[in-house]
Amino acid sequence: MSETTAATTLDRSERSGHAGLLLLLAGLLVAAVLSLSLLSDEKAQIFIVAFLAILAVAGIFCLFGLAVGVLQFAGRVARNDLTKLMADTATEGLIVVEGDGRVIYANGAFLTLSGCRTAAEVRTVERLFTGAPEVSEAIYRLSQAVREGRAAGEEIRLAPALNGAEAAWYRVRVRPLARPGGRKAALWTIADVTRERERQENVFQELQHAIDYLDHAPAGFLSIDPAGEIVYMNATLAGWLDHDLAQVGSGGLSVADVVPPNAAALIGAVTGGPGEVRTEIIDVDLRRRGGQSLPVRLFHRVAFGADGRPGASRTLVLNRSPGEDVAEGQRAAEVRFARFFNDTPVAIAAVGRRGEILRSNAAFARLFGAPGERTITGVVAERDEDALGNALAAAGEGRGDIVPLDVAIRGAEDRSARIYVSGVADAEGDGEAAIVYALETTEQRALEAQFAQAQKMQAVGQLAGGVAHDFNNVLQAIIGYSDLLLANHRPTDPSFQDIMQIKQNANRAASLVRQLLAFSRRQTLRPQVIQLSDSLSDLSLLLKRLIGERIELELRHGRDMWLTKADVNQFEQVIVNLAVNARDAMPDGGKLSIRTQNVPAQEVAAYGYKAVPEADYVLVEVSDTGTGIPPHVLDKIFEPFFTTKDVGKGTGLGLSTVYGIVKQTGGFIFCDSTVGAGTTFRIFLPRHVPAEQEAAPKAGAAKTLAADLTGRGTILLVEDEEAVRAFGARALTSRGYTVLEASSGTEAMAIVDGLDQPVDLVVSDVVMPEMDGPTLLRALRERFPSLKIIFVSGYAEDAFKKNLPEGEQFTFLPKPFSLKQLVEAVKTQLK
């Protein structure tokens, strides 16, 4: 056995030949010779020749084996000399230990580290590293790792060191080795890293010194990542802002925590190209933790990567509080200007001769964002570039009469701004050539559009209401005289059916007029406190019949629905009209969904309808999966007589009626539609909070009508339409009443003044020349406080009720009315 292959290494990895094998071979040869001596010469000669032949063949094979290197003489093995040389001369200590703890290899570096002079002194790593508990624990972890077939490493501080020094650091690694025959072994690597650790500690100490210098510098410093998080802040700045440094870098502080919104927009507006480094000087007010302002000047540097993305900033912060600057007057003036410049709601930018943006304030960054082009024309829509360019050219020529421009903002065409351009008188070289001021007009334009739409709807409503009122007078005469004719004809008369046709068509016309009045919000409503969910559930059977079997109806109600106040019949008409329109939009079938829910005041803004003030509402959504409404049609759907249906399939009054009913109820209606995806109508009705005692119904509103419609008494009939007045007079006279006719309020007062005693009842139109109905009522009340009166009108009761004294008692009869309705109302009042 060879103990060493070099003077400074230990190698027991190879086993040499054994002497017993040589003795066994010699014994076999002696036995063969003795066996041959016992044979005869002839037979022995044959065996001797065969034996010599075998030896000769074996010898030849051995020579060939030695020649090609298959066989080697013991003690002169040259196994992979290069690999072994690398291991023997490695600077790290290497030791290979078999599973039973037997050391089979150790290089010179390990022998030097461990201080071993002979092979007998070589110890395993477990025996070599002993001492403090943390050392034993580290070695145990490494041993456990190699037993589990894993590689592992540790850095261990050993005191005293292996070389006798006071202490040293060692990097110890281990990994399992697979050997032939399935024998397990482990390769341990040991390196002295004391100097490396000393260098690291020196670098760390220098870094600590640098951080300490930066932390206690007389200027603030911070770094902001692209997401707006503060990843570093020095102690000086933290002290100025009264923030805890422990919050920085862990998502605890962001720009929004220390910078007002205007300044945050200005800081985030720094842009640059790929690989560019930009530094902006920004005068802003930072916000202390207590809310106080800290005027500072920022030297804000941002580096952009090769892909154009910004990296974390390097921002130097100079305190500009009183007493911090030698030039106090100049400092104070600059601080005031910076505050005015950045806190003003007007966007301001200084523009150069080529249109480049030289400086801008926070409002400009907030309005136009961070423009990709650093030119003023790059912040407006392409269609407005020429107009703005012409205005800048005019400013460069020194003109002072530049007209303000209304432009769209690039990248957000639905937003708009008004731009004012003024020239700079002392512009020289490439300095400032113009100052651009801008105010956002997005909300103003939206309000103007809403106001224009409301004005248009109001004008159309007034026209429709006026037409409806006049038309009601015509229909009143037709229906009234039809009733008079029917009263004088029997059903068997040939003309009876003709008169009935006249009356039925007049009633159809009256229905259309009521829809016009609904749109103009001049119809008579009878509001009552209702629960919308209950009303819709009662209406569901009718809706299913209306929409047919090919359309699925879904009703979904919110929980704990609030009450609202509306006319039940009119509200049902709203839902029916919307359901019919939805049915027509789904010719091939689909789904109609009606949903209700409460909308608290704080959630109103989330719907995006600026016309709806903050209040509690009950929301009704009617959605379909139909063809949708094109955008150019959407603005006209509530206008009367506007329809997209074929001729004869719609009057164009359905949605206008819906609009009028909702508006007259005090609610709001909106339509959102996508072509091919469907339409959703949203109706917001005000929440009703019941008082302890709801107002009692009006007297006479629900009285039982008498079966006998004849009566006695003097009735003053005031009506400016002669045909209507004649019909009323004949109808009442035929029922036994004495009728006094007047064509105006003035004439009625003259008749009353000429009577010896008051009349029993006044039936008066509301809208009349010279003196209208409410004025007539006030004049009559002064003479006869208990006089009874019936108002008739083609307008709604609410249209004139506000002109009457509070609590005034009267009966209202809307035109057109039938003969029976008139005499029933008179009989009820005189009862």
Side-chain angles (χ1 to χ4, degrees):
M1 182 181 355
S2 174
E3 291 294 327
T4 62
T5 57
T8 57
T9 61
L10 169 66
D11 188 356
R12 299 190 180 118
S13 60
E14 295 294 333
R15 299 180 181 271
S16 59
H18 199 278
L21 296 176
L22 183 61
L23 293 176
L24 177 60
L25 180 60
L28 291 174
L29 292 175
V30 172
V33 172
L34 292 177
S35 299
L36 292 174
S37 64
L38 297 177
L39 299 175
S40 60
D41 292 339
E42 293 179 0
K43 293 182 178 180
Q45 187 175 1
I46 296 172
F47 280 105
I48 291 171
V49 171
F51 184 69
L52 291 175
I54 292 172
L55 291 178
V57 171
I60 292 172
F61 275 108
C62 288
L63 290 175
F64 277 107
L66 289 172
V68 298
V70 175
L71 299 178
Q72 294 179 341
F73 289 106
R76 297 179 60 190
V77 181
R79 306 169 310 280
N80 201 349
D81 293 337
L82 181 59
T83 304
K84 189 171 186 309
L85 181 62
M86 291 171 59
D88 290 344
T89 59
T91 57
E92 295 181 336
L94 303 177
I95 178 172
V96 181
V97 182
E98 287 190 333
D100 55 1
R102 178 173 174 269
V103 178
I104 59 174
Y105 177 80
N107 70 349
F110 181 82
L111 298 178
T112 301
L113 281 172
S114 60
C116 300
R117 297 184 180 84
T118 64
E121 296 179 359
V122 175
R123 292 173 290 171
T124 60
V125 175
E126 290 92 337
R127 295 176 57 194
L128 191 63
F129 285 85
T130 58
E134 57 270 17
V135 175
S136 301
E137 291 173 1
I139 296 300
Y140 173 78
R141 289 193 295 269
L142 294 174
S143 301
Q144 186 66 23
V146 77
R147 281 193 290 271
E148 296 173 356
R150 296 183 292 106
E154 298 269 356
E155 287 195 1
I156 301 172
R157 184 178 184 277
L158 189 63
L162 296 176
N163 58 4
E166 181 178 353
W169 282 90
Y170 298 94
R171 182 182 294 117
V172 182
R173 293 193 293 262
V174 64
R175 64 183 178 89
L177 293 178
R179 303 192 66 210
R183 291 177 292 171
K184 293 183 178 180
L187 171 62
W188 293 79
T189 304
I190 303 172
D192 188 343
V193 294
T194 304
R195 291 187 178 180
E196 180 181 336
R197 290 297 294 256
E198 288 177 351
R199 286 195 299 272
Q200 291 177 355
E201 290 179 359
N202 291 337
V203 171
F204 180 75
Q205 289 179 357
E206 291 174 359
L207 181 60
Q208 286 293 102
H209 288 315
I211 294 174
D212 184 66
Y213 298 151
L214 183 60
D215 271 346
H216 297 91
F221 184 84
L222 78 158
S223 180
I224 306 167
D225 68 11
E229 298 293 330
I230 297 178
V231 296
Y232 177 78
M233 177 188 295
N234 70 343
T236 300
L237 182 57
W240 290 348
L241 301 178
D242 194 23
H243 277 291
D244 186 0
L245 277 178
Q247 295 180 332
V248 181
S250 59
L253 275 182
S254 65
V255 172
D257 296 322
V258 299
V259 178
N262 282 353
L266 197 59
I267 292 173
V270 178
T271 59
E276 189 177 358
V277 178
R278 296 190 63 86
T279 302
E280 298 284 346
I281 301 175
I282 307 172
D283 291 319
V284 297
D285 282 353
L286 298 185
R287 186 169 53 218
R288 293 187 173 97
R289 189 169 61 174
Q292 303 88 353
S293 296
L294 176 71
V296 298
R297 170 166 289 177
L298 304 181
F299 292 84
H300 186 61
R301 169 170 288 192
V302 180
F304 295 85
D307 57 355
R309 295 183 179 180
S313 74
R314 305 292 185 267
T315 306
L316 182 66
V317 184
L318 299 182
N319 192 341
R320 311 195 74 192
S321 299
E324 297 289 339
D325 198 337
V326 176
E328 182 63 26
Q330 180 181 355
R331 181 210 62 78
E334 290 177 349
V335 169
R336 284 194 299 272
F337 172 76
R339 285 176 175 169
F340 293 151
F341 186 62
N342 288 319
D343 293 341
T344 178
V346 180
I348 305 174
V351 181
R353 290 188 175 276
R354 295 186 299 274
E356 68 275 16
I357 300 174
L358 303 177
R359 282 170 295 279
S360 61
N361 67 345
F364 189 91
R366 189 174 63 253
L367 177 58
F368 296 104
E373 304 176 25
R374 299 299 294 181
T375 59
I376 191 63
T377 54
V379 304
V380 300
E382 293 184 6
R383 63 177 181 269
D384 298 318
E385 286 186 11
D386 292 341
L388 183 55
N390 294 335
L392 292 174
E397 296 171 359
R399 291 172 50 186
D401 56 346
I402 303 174
V403 178
L405 304 175
D406 289 316
V407 300
I409 299 174
R410 175 167 295 188
E413 313 300 2
D414 57 336
R415 297 176 60 207
S416 59
R418 172 161 290 185
I419 291 182
Y420 303 83
V421 180
S422 63
V424 177
D426 55 350
E428 296 181 358
D430 293 333
E432 297 178 359
I435 304 296
V436 173
Y437 306 89
L439 283 171
E440 185 170 6
T441 58
T442 304
E443 186 172 355
Q444 177 185 344
R445 284 198 168 190
L447 292 175
E448 288 176 352
Q450 292 176 6
F451 180 73
Q453 179 71 7
Q455 289 289 92
K456 181 179 73 173
M457 298 296 281
Q458 183 178 359
V460 174
Q462 289 177 347
L463 175 62
V467 170
H469 174 265
D470 294 338
F471 200 49
N472 269 335
N473 284 327
V474 176
L475 292 175
Q476 178 62 70
I478 297 174
I479 293 173
Y481 282 105
S482 296
D483 283 341
L484 291 175
L485 288 173
L486 289 172
N488 296 323
H489 288 73
R490 295 180 181 182
T492 57
D493 291 343
S495 59
F496 185 86
Q497 292 300 324
D498 296 336
I499 300 171
M500 283 296 297
Q501 283 294 328
I502 294 173
K503 182 177 179 181
Q504 288 175 1
N505 281 280
N507 285 329
R508 285 187 59 194
S511 176
L512 294 176
V513 172
R514 280 194 295 272
Q515 294 186 31
L516 284 175
L517 287 173
F519 170 74
S520 61
R521 288 170 263 171
R522 296 182 181 183
Q523 67 170 343
T524 300
L525 296 182
R526 302 298 181 190
Q528 62 188 63
V529 178
I530 62 173
Q531 173 64 261
L532 286 184
S533 299
D534 297 339
S535 300
L536 289 173
S537 298
D538 297 340
L539 195 61
S540 60
L541 293 177
L542 173 61
L543 292 177
K544 288 180 180 178
R545 287 196 297 268
L546 281 174
I547 63 178
E549 297 179 355
R550 302 181 64 182
I551 298 176
E552 176 188 355
L553 176 63
E554 178 191 41
L555 287 178
R556 192 167 59 198
H557 303 303
R559 299 180 59 185
D560 302 325
M561 292 297 297
W562 294 330
L563 299 175
T564 189
K565 200 167 187 179
D567 187 312
V568 177
N569 295 328
Q570 298 295 337
F571 173 74
E572 290 178 351
Q573 182 181 353
V574 167
I575 301 300
V576 168
N577 285 354
L578 294 179
V580 170
N581 283 349
R583 178 199 64 190
D584 296 340
M586 297 183 286
D588 299 325
K591 183 176 182 180
L592 173 64
S593 302
I594 302 178
R595 297 178 291 271
T596 61
Q597 69 180 78
N598 297 329
V599 180
Q602 60 271 21
E603 297 180 9
V604 171
Y607 287 89
Y609 302 123
K610 296 182 179 179
V612 183
E614 286 192 3
D616 292 338
Y617 295 95
V618 177
L619 172 63
V620 183
E621 287 186 341
V622 181
S623 303
D624 64 63
T625 58
T627 55
I629 303 174
H632 68 278
V633 175
L634 201 57
D635 294 336
K636 303 177 182 179
I637 59 174
F638 294 121
E639 296 180 5
F641 304 112
F642 177 82
T643 180
T644 58
K645 298 179 182 179
D646 296 336
V647 177
K649 292 187 177 180
T651 62
L653 291 174
L655 287 179
S656 62
T657 302
V658 168
Y659 178 85
I661 293 173
V662 172
K663 286 294 185 180
Q664 194 170 357
T665 307
F668 302 87
I669 182 169
F670 301 95
C671 179
D672 296 321
S673 184
T674 303
V675 176
T679 303
T680 298
F681 285 90
R682 291 186 177 89
I683 302 173
F684 294 84
L685 297 179
R687 177 187 181 183
H688 176 73
V689 180
E692 294 183 2
Q693 293 181 346
E694 291 285 352
K698 294 179 182 179
K703 292 183 179 179
T704 303
L705 298 178
D708 181 13
L709 300 181
T710 61
R712 292 184 180 278
T714 302
I715 300 174
L716 175 60
L717 178 60
V718 188
E719 172 62 62
D720 60 329
E721 288 285 339
E722 183 177 354
V724 177
R725 185 174 70 252
F727 153 70
R730 287 181 58 184
L732 295 174
T733 302
S734 66
R735 294 302 185 272
Y737 298 103
T738 301
V739 179
L740 303 177
E741 298 182 43
S743 60
S744 66
T746 305
E747 185 177 342
M749 289 302 300
I751 293 175
V752 171
D753 291 339
L755 295 176
D756 296 333
Q757 58 183 6
V759 295
D760 298 307
L761 177 67
V762 176
V763 179
S764 173
D765 193 9
V766 174
V767 179
M768 295 182 296
E770 299 181 12
M771 179 184 290
D772 61 6
T775 306
L776 173 63
L777 176 61
R778 283 193 292 269
L780 291 173
R781 283 280 186 253
E782 293 177 358
R783 293 171 173 79
F784 312 108
S786 60
L787 183 63
K788 297 179 180 180
I789 187 166
I790 297 176
F791 278 125
V792 295
S793 177
Y795 287 130
E797 178 182 344
D798 294 340
F800 66 90
K801 185 178 178 181
K802 59 186 177 182
N803 298 325
L804 295 175
E806 186 72 23
E808 183 64 58
Q809 297 294 323
F810 64 93
T811 298
F812 179 72
L813 188 62
K815 293 180 181 179
F817 49 82
S818 65
L819 184 152
K820 182 180 179 182
Q821 289 174 327
L822 174 61
V823 296
E824 282 179 346
V826 170
K827 181 73 173 182
T828 301
Q829 288 296 309
L830 293 179
K831 189 175 180 180

